[in-house]
Every structure is written in structure tokens, then in C-alpha cells.
Amino acid sequence: MIFKRLAQAGVLGLNARNAEFINRYNPRHHFRRVDDKLLARELADAVGVRVPALVGVVEAYGELRSVGRMLEGLGDFVIKPVQGAMGSGVLVVVERRAGAFVLADGRTLTASEVEYHLTGILAGLHSLGGRVDRAMIEERLVPHPELAALAFGGVPDVRVIVFRGVPVLAMVRLPTRASRGRANLHQGAVAAGIELQTGRTVGGLHRERALKRHPETDAVLAGHLIPEWPRVLEWAVRAADAFGLGYVGIDIVLDARHGPVLLEANARPGLAIQLANARGLRPRLEQVERLALEGLGVDERVAIGRALP
Amino acid sequence: MRVSVLAASLVGLSLLLVAWKVLGLGYRLVETTAQSGRYEVEVTLHGVGQGETAAVFFNRPSSLETGFSQERFSASGLERIDAANDTRADALPVRFASPLVARHDLVAATWHFVFSTDLANALPPPPAARDTLPSRSLPAAAPELVSLARDLTAGTQSLESSVRALYEFVRDETLTDGSAGGDEVREALRRRRATPLGRVRLLASLARASGVPARVVYALERDEQMERALRVVCDVYFDGAWHTLDPVRGRFASPQEDLLIVSRGDRADALAESEGLSATYLSASVVRETANARTFRTQSQGDHLFDRLSFHRLPIRLQLAMRVLLLVPLGALIVSVFRNIVGAPTFGTFTPILIALAVRETHPLWGLLILALVVGAALGGRLVLARFRLLVVPRLSILLTFVIFLVGVLSVLATEWGLEGALGAALLPMVVLTMMIERVGLALEEEGTRTALKTTLGTFLVAAVGYGVLRPGELERTLFTFPELNLIVVALLLLVGRYTGFRLTELVRFRALAHAAGDNADDRRAA
């Protein structure tokens, strides 16, 4: 019974996502283009999509000593595993005080603790598949003032699902105190769907339950306009083309100084986006599947996406 | 080829093979051990060469204990040198020998037979004259034995207390030691060290020296086992009955229901003897004979193809291992169903099955309790280790060592407190366990307590269901005789692999959208 209702609502389940979309539209050898964040940056940059400034890469244990030099003069930065997943292993440093590093969630780490974290990243503790990894250090992005009221201690993150080069669904993830400044829904971040046509937020989702107001700031979640929305969509499609993946989730953050910036991409995007938008993915996916898209440019496909019912 | 067609043909093939075996060859689909007075036994004598001629003798019991049938002999490193065809119960010993066994070479000789407790005499034969006389292996007339026996029994009032005095001497004043020459009674007395056989022979000799009938008895534990040493005990006759004394384990005349008496007081008071070898020991594998095993044995003279391929041919030790292995595909199917159809999260793909297999060897509740204890304690250990800020691989290795120690301590405590069920802790898959503990720890740190708890519960749930299927019982025996039933498991796996519908957990996760759909449908109908 409920099976039927879910099917009617066009909900896409994990099994169907894997069998009908990921296995069919994502060539296996292209996965590394998004799993390896350094490669993803290069590919995106090459097609004119802005990415955060790279401070440096740590590849070997021997290089750890030179990290201090790398970070000289930097008041804030972000350390990430190059092959990390789901935000694992990410350290966001917001301030430096006399040899101590203050993180976005309020904790303070000493230099040697940061170095220890790096060794964990290098050893593959946070990487997909547990393989040895590299660590990358990027500039820290600052939330755009128009969305700052909604986000606590972190940058709001727009996720666009692009299928066959057409945007089909989007949501924005807002960090909270509970999620320690991370835009990770499992950790307690808040999400809101985004109407592709208007770029306005709709609904609201927290811990897989619908809600209308932000649990900590009490701001209404719906009705906010995502700044530079057309560019966000354009860059999402451009990046998806560069990655060569037919079913991909592109994460773009809105930075106060630079506007939209591509953070990363995901070859196995999750399904919570359906809850954020209170609509299933299937109807749009099936529509786009039927379209003839060869030869259409980025702008045309963005327009198709925005016009989807 | 369409998956459903392939799946159907696998099922068809499987059922065809099963039908053939059942109808054509007479195997039973549902195994029974109802006639389980019968056991398949393999007794193996192991030894190490000393650079000289070596020989092994199997002394088959006298006609009084004709529980033996279907004998087969094999050896590695030695050749059979007696008349191979004589299988009468009271035939001469079976001999294996080799003109030269190099130093440090391992040799083994195996005697495979079916032992029937129905046929064997239920009551031990009454004491005969020879049970009080010295024999080749029981030098009851040796002066030092006679005087020792007299000293020990001086002042005792009853026959029982005399016997007890002799028993306590052997139990407390001698130690078990497996080195060469340890079977000899006089050596045992002189050095106060001997093999279990030597110690039991010492007790029997002392008893005979005091005029009390005594015999050396070989026994096996009744439950199925692999490669556990044969037990050797001493039967002593007093107060009108035979009593079993075990000076090695310290049991005086307690009922021995769990023992299968294989032979009593043979010619040389030894089931198997050797010459020219050191560090010898006897081990035995026992398995209850099932109806199908019996069928197989009567068939195998016919040399049918299926019988040649049957697992019943394997040595017992491998049979027992195979029985468990044949269940694993079913376990994997359970994991697949739980992950893809139910949607339960687990740590590791097959970790739940490994846990179920380990718990199988112990009592299930104990097994899970120990598991929970080990995981909990190791998580604590992990927190402590975190302070040292070690590199990942050495840190995990220390965690692994800690887990092994923990399990070792638990096993020792279990033995100390007599908790049989907890002894299986040593069989937990330590490495897999350590990796799982690491993942739980990481999940706790990265994803929060709730998610970590959910995944842990999911893992244990699947392990529990897996245990329900994998535990010893009818299913295991049926799969052993009909391994082709696993083709059905493969067919089911093919179907699960193609399932693209919702997972049960998704029905809960997306229920808000289902309500919306229902509302929309209602609105449309109303309009």
C-alpha cells in the first residue's frame, strides 16, 4: 500500500537510483574525477567554474613540517582529505590565537593536534575505501550576507542534481550549532528545497522531518532567494559536463566575496533532496530521459531544467 | 540471458540433482541421526622422525568389543606392511613402517572406522585373571611399584580408600609431559613425568600391584570434535563394579556419560603404538554417523559419479569444516536481503556473517555477550590510545593486540569459573572485530552517537538472524549431502541483485511524501 503511494509520489529509492541511474549513466572510470577533489577542482576550473583558492597540498609525512610555513600569515583556512566523503575529516579553522587554532565549532587545537589530524588523513582514515590519501588546504569561504541569517558558523551549501546535463532538483543545506558548523544533514544541518525556476527556497527539513522554521535562529526557511541563482545553475551544468557523469550532485557554496564557488561533486548523491523539496525525483528524471539533448548547449539545458513541471 | 530465466534454471537443476539422489540413490532429504548409536571415528597417531626406522601399530580390540566396522587405514610418510585384507575383529595389529624417517620429518597414520555403541558390549566385561597380572605395558610386579603401592595403601580401611590413595598419588605427584619415552610406567615413576597414557598406565600398574583389577580404557568425547586428543582413563574394579578414574583431569569415579568407550585393556593396553618416533600423540575426530553417511558407504562400492564427488568421502576433519562452509552462501544471502531489501545498515559487508559463525561455536547468548563486552572494552581502549596520537596502522595493531588479550583473559576466567559457554570467545574473528571496532569508533566521532548506534544494532541484528540459520542442525546436514541446494541460494541472490524497489527503511524515511501523494490523489478525486 505504502509502496504504491511512494511510487505514485515518484520517490526514487536507493536500489532504483543505483540500478537505473548511477550504473547506467555514470561510467565507472569517471568516478575518480569527483572522488578526487584535486582533480575535480582542476576540471571545474578549466571550464571557467570558480573553485576555492588552494593554499597547498600535503602528500607525504615528510611534508608535515613545512605545513607551518604554508599556513604562515593565514588567519583561517580549511583542511580536507582529498578523497574524503560526507565531510569526514574536514577541519575548518576560523581564527588563530598564539599557536592555537580555533575551529568553526568552537574547539581549539594546538599545532601538534592539527599535525596529528593530518597524519590521520594521510593514512586514509577519512578516505573512501580507506586508501592512503593526501590532504589539501583551501581558503575558508564566508557565508553570503543574504543567507547568513539562516546559517550558523558555516557556509550554506547548494546541492544541484544534474541528470544528462539538465538540472532536475536542488536544495540548500544550512549548518547549525548542532552540526558544528557543517552542512551535513546526518549531523543536524537544516535543508530547504529550491525552486529551479525562481531560485527561491521552499519547505524545510531537519533530521528527516519537515519543519518551517530554523530550529536555532527561528527564521522562516521558505521564500529566500539564492543569490546569483542563474549562475549557480549554469556552473552546475558546466561542471557536470566536465566530469562526464550523467547522474551527479554538484555542491556550490555562496561566498560573501566571490559569489558562487564550486566545492565538490558527488557521483552517488543522496536522496534526502526529495524530502527537502517534498517531491520525488522520478517524474523529472523520466521526463529528461525522454528528451533529445545532443548538441544542446549549457544555457539551453539550464532553461529546460528551469521549465520542468 | 534474462535473469529470471537463469534463476529458474538454477532452481530446476538443483531440484533435479536432489531428486536424483533421493529417488535414484536412496539418500534422505531430511537428515537424521536417529540411529546415532553409530559414530565415524578417525584416530591418528602423529610422530616426529628420529633418523631411524619407524613403525606404527594399531592394536585392534579383541572380539569382545566388536563395535568396530568399516575400517580404513591410511598413512603419510609410512607404508602399510601387514596383510591388508584381514578385517576380522581379532586380527593382528595393523602395521605401518618405514625403513628410514629423517630427523624432524612428520609422519602420521590414520585408522578410520565406524564405531557402533549398539553392537559393542554395553556392560564392561567382568574382571578376568589377567586384569590383576602384570603385562608388557603394566609392570605390576616391579619391586618399586609393589613397595610404593604398599606404602600408599598402608593404613587405609576400605578398598575404595586404597584405590583413592593410589589415584591421588598419580594425580598429584606426576605431571603430564609429551616427550619421548613418556608412555613407560617405570620411567614415569622415576621422572614423575609421563604422557597421559603413561600416567594412566602407572595407576593401573599400582592397582594391579595391590591386587585390584585394573584396565586401561580409551574413550572419545561424545560430541563431535576435531582433532582433540583421545582421552585415556583407568577402569578399576572395587565394591562389585568397575569405576572410571581419570588422574589427568582429576575425576574419581564420576559418571562419564559423555564418553564413548572405544576400547578397554587391549593386548598392549594401547590403541596405537610406535617405534622410532618422538613427540608422539594420538588425536581423534568424531562425527555422528548420519543415515546418509551410511547410505554413502554402502553405495560407494558402486563407484557412482555422485558418490565419487560426494563430500562424505572427506576425512572427518574436513567434513566438519565443509559443513560450515556450505552454510556461508546462505548467510551471504541473508546479508544481501537485509541490506538491499530491508535497508538495515551494517559495518562491513560480511562482518555479520563472520560474527554469526564465531558465535555458532559457543552458546549464542554467551557469544553475543562476550562480543558486546569485547567491543565495549575495546572502544574504551581506543579512547585511551587516542591520547598518544599514534599513526593509524600502529594504533590499529595495538588495538588488535588489546582485543586478543581481552579475549584471552575472558577465556581464562571462563575456565576458572567453569563457564563452558564462554570458552568460544577465542574463536571470535579478532581481526574483523578490530576493524569493526575502529569503524564504530570513527562513526561515533564523525557521525554522532545515533548513527553509530543504529549501524551497530543493524550489524548485530543481521548477525542474530544469520546465527538462526547457521547454527548446527538439520539444515547443515542436508546441505552437506545435497550441496547443489546452494544453486537455489544463487538463484535467490540473482533475484535480490535485480531488485530495484524500495527498501523497507525507505518506506519509513519517505512516508511524508507518501502522505502528500495520498492527499494529492484525494484532491484530484474530489475535483
Side-chain angles (χ1 to χ4, degrees):
Chain A
M1 247 289 281
I2 184 168
F3 256 78
K4 233 205 233 167
R5 293 254 214 100
L6 282 179
Q8 272 175 347
V11 174
L12 187 71
L14 275 170
N15 291 335
R17 180 202 71 171
N18 295 345
E20 296 175 44
F21 296 97
I22 293 182
N23 286 0
R24 243 184 251 173
Y25 293 95
N26 287 352
R28 207 71 236 243
H29 54 281
H30 286 175
F31 275 44
R32 55 181 289 262
R33 295 185 183 185
V34 299
D35 289 342
D36 180 329
K37 294 198 184 59
L38 283 175
L39 188 52
R41 289 175 49 96
E42 278 174 45
L43 292 169
D45 196 41
V47 293
V49 173
R50 195 187 193 101
V51 291
L54 184 66
V55 174
V57 177
V58 182
E59 278 192 62
Y61 291 94
E63 290 174 21
L64 287 173
R65 295 172 189 286
S66 52
V67 171
R69 234 179 302 129
M70 223 189 271
L71 299 175
E72 216 165 300
L74 277 183
D76 61 350
F77 52 87
V78 178
I79 295 177
K80 306 183 185 177
V82 170
Q83 292 175 70
M86 302 222 294
S88 171
V90 174
L91 268 188
V92 179
V93 174
V94 300
E95 200 192 322
R96 256 169 109 155
R97 267 189 242 142
F101 297 87
V102 183
L103 302 181
D105 57 17
R107 288 183 295 157
T108 307
L109 295 181
T110 64
S112 76
E113 283 170 326
V114 171
E115 189 177 309
Y116 180 60
H117 184 89
L118 283 167
T119 65
I121 292 179
L122 291 179
L125 207 55
H126 305 283
S127 78
L128 278 170
R131 275 171 278 133
V132 284
D133 198 4
R134 292 160 291 171
M136 58 196 265
I137 306 178
E138 285 181 335
E139 71 169 316
R140 183 172 85 100
L141 299 167
V142 173
H144 198 286
E146 286 175 40
L147 295 173
L150 291 172
F152 169 87
V155 195
D157 176 328
V158 172
R159 151 78 56 96
V160 183
I161 303 240
V162 180
F163 176 53
R164 296 185 73 209
V166 177
V168 289
L169 213 56
M171 71 170 166
V172 62
R173 289 178 295 197
L174 308 161
T176 58
R177 183 173 285 130
S179 75
R180 297 193 294 176
R182 291 197 267 183
N184 189 324
L185 293 181
H186 288 293
Q187 302 273 46
V190 173
I194 304 175
E195 243 175 46
L196 291 180
Q197 175 64 274
T198 60
R200 284 200 181 274
T201 58
V202 294
L205 181 74
H206 183 235
R207 297 214 182 268
E208 310 239 312
R209 287 229 161 112
L211 88 175
K212 296 221 160 57
R213 288 174 178 275
H214 193 286
E216 288 163 6
T217 68
D218 208 39
V220 173
L221 290 167
H224 296 268
L225 184 61
I226 304 291
E228 299 189 59
W229 178 239
R231 176 167 300 185
V232 170
L233 281 183
E234 182 205 326
W235 281 4
V237 170
R238 232 183 252 286
D241 287 348
F243 298 141
L245 292 169
Y247 185 86
V248 62
I250 310 285
D251 294 347
I252 295 180
V253 301
L254 284 316
D255 178 67
R257 299 155 294 180
H258 311 304
V261 178
L262 181 124
L263 211 55
E264 59 177 345
N266 197 326
R268 308 164 198 82
L271 297 169
I273 199 170
Q274 297 176 106
L275 287 169
N277 282 279
R279 64 189 305 159
L281 268 168
R282 208 180 255 286
R284 286 187 174 174
L285 289 175
E286 284 176 357
Q287 265 191 289
V288 172
E289 249 186 325
R290 291 191 284 263
L291 297 175
L293 299 168
E294 298 78 35
L296 291 182
V298 171
D299 294 323
E300 291 157 305
R301 283 182 269 129
V302 168
I304 291 175
R306 294 182 83 168
L308 286 171
Chain B
M1 182 190 232
R2 299 203 54 206
V3 169
S4 41
V5 172
L6 180 59
S9 10
L10 284 174
V11 172
L13 179 60
S14 167
L15 292 176
L16 200 69
L17 288 169
V18 170
W20 191 334
K21 282 186 177 172
V22 171
L23 300 171
L25 299 176
Y27 286 102
R28 302 175 58 133
L29 190 55
V30 177
E31 235 344 339
T32 53
T33 52
Q35 302 191 290
S36 55
R38 291 169 65 95
Y39 295 80
E40 282 184 63
V41 182
E42 261 177 20
V43 172
T44 305
L45 183 109
H46 307 264
V48 179
Q50 295 185 297
E52 54 189 55
T53 311
V56 172
F57 306 81
F58 285 114
N59 295 313
R60 281 133 86 237
S62 66
S63 52
L64 279 175
E65 274 103 33
T66 41
F68 290 72
S69 61
Q70 314 258 13
E71 293 171 274
R72 266 191 347 251
F73 296 87
S74 62
S76 75
L78 300 167
E79 304 264 309
R80 179 99 180 252
I81 62 174
D82 60 275
N85 296 322
D86 204 346
T87 55
R88 278 174 298 142
D90 53 1
L92 294 166
V94 172
R95 255 180 116 216
F96 290 88
S98 165
L100 180 70
V101 179
R103 211 170 252 279
H104 304 310
D105 264 8
L106 298 172
V107 299
T110 299
W111 177 16
H112 183 125
F113 56 89
V114 172
F115 183 72
S116 169
T117 55
D118 319 320
L119 291 179
N121 263 327
L123 282 174
R130 64 182 173 140
D131 291 329
T132 50
L133 296 175
S135 70
R136 182 162 64 87
S137 59
L138 304 177
E144 66 269 30
L145 280 163
V146 173
S147 65
L148 175 61
R150 200 175 330 125
D151 291 341
L152 289 171
T153 57
T156 56
Q157 309 294 48
S158 67
L159 199 49
E160 183 185 329
S161 49
S162 304
V163 172
R164 193 179 274 278
L166 299 176
Y167 159 81
E168 281 170 6
F169 173 79
V170 177
R171 185 191 66 189
D172 301 331
E173 305 292 328
T174 63
L175 291 172
T176 302
D177 174 354
S179 47
D183 293 341
E184 298 280 339
V185 171
R186 299 179 78 169
E187 273 298 297
L189 188 55
R190 201 176 57 77
R191 295 188 313 151
R192 298 298 166 100
R193 287 172 174 278
T195 58
L197 177 60
R199 293 176 76 189
V200 167
R201 277 176 169 172
L202 177 59
L203 180 56
S205 306
L206 286 171
R208 286 187 181 187
S210 309
V212 181
R215 286 183 190 150
V216 172
V217 172
Y218 278 93
L220 297 165
E221 281 164 41
R222 209 173 265 270
D223 284 326
E224 284 163 359
Q225 52 173 320
M226 289 197 290
E227 298 284 16
R228 291 209 213 134
L230 278 189
R231 300 247 297 264
V232 62
V233 294
C234 182
D235 269 3
V236 177
Y237 192 86
F238 58 85
D239 296 342
W242 285 100
H243 297 89
T244 307
L245 312 183
D246 188 345
V248 176
R249 274 175 212 236
R251 297 220 202 136
F252 185 92
S254 57
Q256 312 262 3
E257 288 305 323
D258 53 333
L259 289 184
L260 203 59
I261 307 296
V262 171
S263 90
R264 294 172 218 276
D266 308 300
R267 258 178 303 277
D269 293 323
L271 207 54
E273 293 179 286
S274 65
E275 286 169 359
L277 296 171
S278 65
T280 59
Y281 70 95
L282 273 181
S283 64
S285 305
V286 176
V287 77
R288 210 163 251 183
E289 197 200 39
T290 59
N292 282 337
R294 202 163 174 180
T295 310
F296 166 74
R297 242 190 299 285
T298 48
Q299 299 275 43
S300 61
Q301 313 309 322
D303 225 12
H304 194 281
L305 176 68
F306 284 156
D307 292 323
R308 268 196 272 159
L309 294 175
S310 172
F311 289 128
H312 287 285
R313 304 191 68 189
L314 295 172
I316 293 182
R317 183 164 43 104
L318 288 180
Q319 278 189 35
L320 294 172
M322 207 64 219
R323 292 224 300 236
V324 177
L325 282 179
L326 285 171
L327 282 172
V328 175
L330 200 49
L333 175 63
I334 290 173
V335 173
S336 304
V337 166
F338 267 90
R339 286 183 63 133
N340 284 37
I341 299 186
V342 174
T346 64
F347 284 114
T349 311
F350 292 118
T351 310
I353 291 307
L354 289 170
I355 293 176
L357 282 177
V359 163
R360 178 186 198 276
E361 302 293 332
T362 79
H363 194 274
L365 282 173
W366 271 116
L368 283 177
L369 187 66
I370 291 170
L371 201 59
L373 251 165
V374 170
V375 171
L379 277 174
R382 193 176 173 276
L383 271 175
V384 171
L385 271 180
R387 286 164 202 266
F388 294 96
R389 294 205 232 120
L390 302 168
L391 296 178
V392 171
V393 177
R395 179 165 67 83
L396 280 179
S397 308
I398 294 179
L399 200 59
L400 174 63
T401 310
F402 177 70
V403 168
I404 292 174
F405 264 116
L406 205 58
V407 168
V409 166
L410 279 175
S411 303
V412 169
L413 287 178
T415 315
E416 186 66 31
W417 295 333
L419 302 169
E420 292 290 314
L423 281 175
L427 292 161
L428 289 174
M430 315 262 182
V431 177
V432 170
L433 214 54
T434 306
M435 302 314 282
M436 187 181 119
I437 289 164
E438 175 66 17
R439 312 259 276 269
V440 175
L442 260 180
L444 278 172
E445 284 168 15
E446 293 284 334
E447 296 170 36
T449 320
R450 210 200 251 150
T451 316
L453 207 62
K454 257 199 253 174
T455 315
T456 311
L457 283 175
T459 310
F460 276 105
L461 174 67
V462 180
V465 174
Y467 174 78
V469 170
L470 267 56
R471 65 189 164 85
E474 304 294 335
L475 188 58
E476 178 190 326
R477 294 186 210 273
T478 304
L479 275 173
F480 185 73
T481 309
F482 303 101
E484 55 273 5
L485 286 175
N486 271 324
L487 288 176
I488 298 185
V489 174
V490 174
L492 288 172
L493 280 167
L494 279 170
L495 294 177
V496 173
R498 298 284 291 191
Y499 176 70
T500 56
F502 294 111
R503 301 181 181 182
L504 290 182
T505 48
E506 286 176 342
L507 296 183
V508 173
R509 189 185 184 202
F510 295 120
R511 65 187 182 288
L513 297 179
H515 291 322
D519 296 338
N520 289 344
D522 291 340
D523 293 338
R524 263 181 263 126
R525 256 184 268 123

